[in-house]
Amino acid sequence: MESAWSLIKCICGHNFGIKKGNKIRCFRCSNNNDYKIIKNFSSSIDLRIAVATANAPEEINHIINNKLKGSEAKKYNLNINEVVNMSKYQVMMKNATSNDGVLKLDKLVSILNNNFIEDVLAEDLIAKSEFEGLIIRSAHNEWSWL
Ligand SMILES: [Zn+2]
């Protein structure tokens, strides 16, 4: 399969994904010269998981690794749950996005409410996605997908 997506590591330490052929520019420091292509992917989903993992703070990696020492079965469950959660929330964020590509906070809040999700805040989902370089703030309580 063709590898159309790349995981990029900027000199500032930020990891982000791009579609091949697109301009490479770090979302955190705006640098576009000093970067490394870490890995290529054929699917944007694999790329997003790799970006999220690469940007996970050391502390979280440490906690996850300690949890994983419990048993191999647990490790499998944890990974699957993380992937399922990620796509579920990402679908909701896409649903909260208007036809012109604008993600609105109040819309995401009401979608979470409609799905009876009380343990995850819309603000946290947005902050996480901003950190992962998936979205960028375009106006007050509005974001655009990158
Ligand atoms: Zn950077």
Side-chain angles (χ1 to χ4, degrees):
M1 251 208 284
E2 199 193 339
S3 298
W5 305 86
S6 300
L7 172 64
I8 307 289
K9 187 176 182 71
C10 175
I11 196 167
C12 76
H14 185 55
N15 297 277
F16 57 97
I18 59 143
K19 195 174 194 323
K20 270 197 182 161
N22 282 3
K23 217 178 96 184
I24 297 175
R25 188 170 70 88
C26 176
F27 303 125
R28 191 163 79 178
C29 72
S30 299
N31 164 50
N32 59 5
N33 292 315
D34 294 318
Y35 57 82
K36 269 187 203 156
I37 296 173
I38 303 295
K39 203 175 169 189
N40 294 316
F41 298 90
S42 54
S43 120
S44 61
I45 295 166
D46 290 345
L47 169 69
R48 279 177 184 167
I49 293 167
V51 171
T53 310
N55 279 328
E58 289 290 316
E59 200 180 325
I60 291 175
N61 282 334
H62 182 71
I63 292 166
I64 291 173
N65 286 337
N66 277 349
K67 270 189 186 166
L68 293 185
K69 279 178 193 157
S71 74
E72 285 302 303
K74 256 189 185 167
K75 170 180 172 180
Y76 189 69
N77 284 338
L78 179 67
N79 288 343
I80 292 296
N81 284 337
E82 280 183 345
V83 172
V84 168
N85 282 340
M86 191 181 295
S87 38
K88 180 174 83 178
Y89 292 126
Q90 218 159 64
V91 167
M92 290 179 191
M93 288 175 68
K94 288 285 184 187
N95 287 341
T97 304
S98 63
N99 288 336
D100 51 358
V102 176
L103 169 65
K104 292 201 164 105
L105 178 64
D106 53 354
K107 184 90 172 116
L108 183 58
V109 168
S110 69
I111 286 174
L112 290 177
N113 286 341
N114 291 343
N115 285 280
F116 306 105
I117 292 169
E118 290 163 350
D119 54 338
V120 174
L121 291 174
E123 287 87 348
D124 289 344
L125 285 180
I126 285 171
K128 186 173 178 291
S129 301
E130 264 186 326
F131 186 70
E132 289 168 6
L134 299 177
I135 57 172
I136 193 161
R137 188 186 291 267
S138 53
H140 182 63
N141 287 342
E142 289 184 12
W143 288 261
S144 297
W145 291 86
L146 293 165

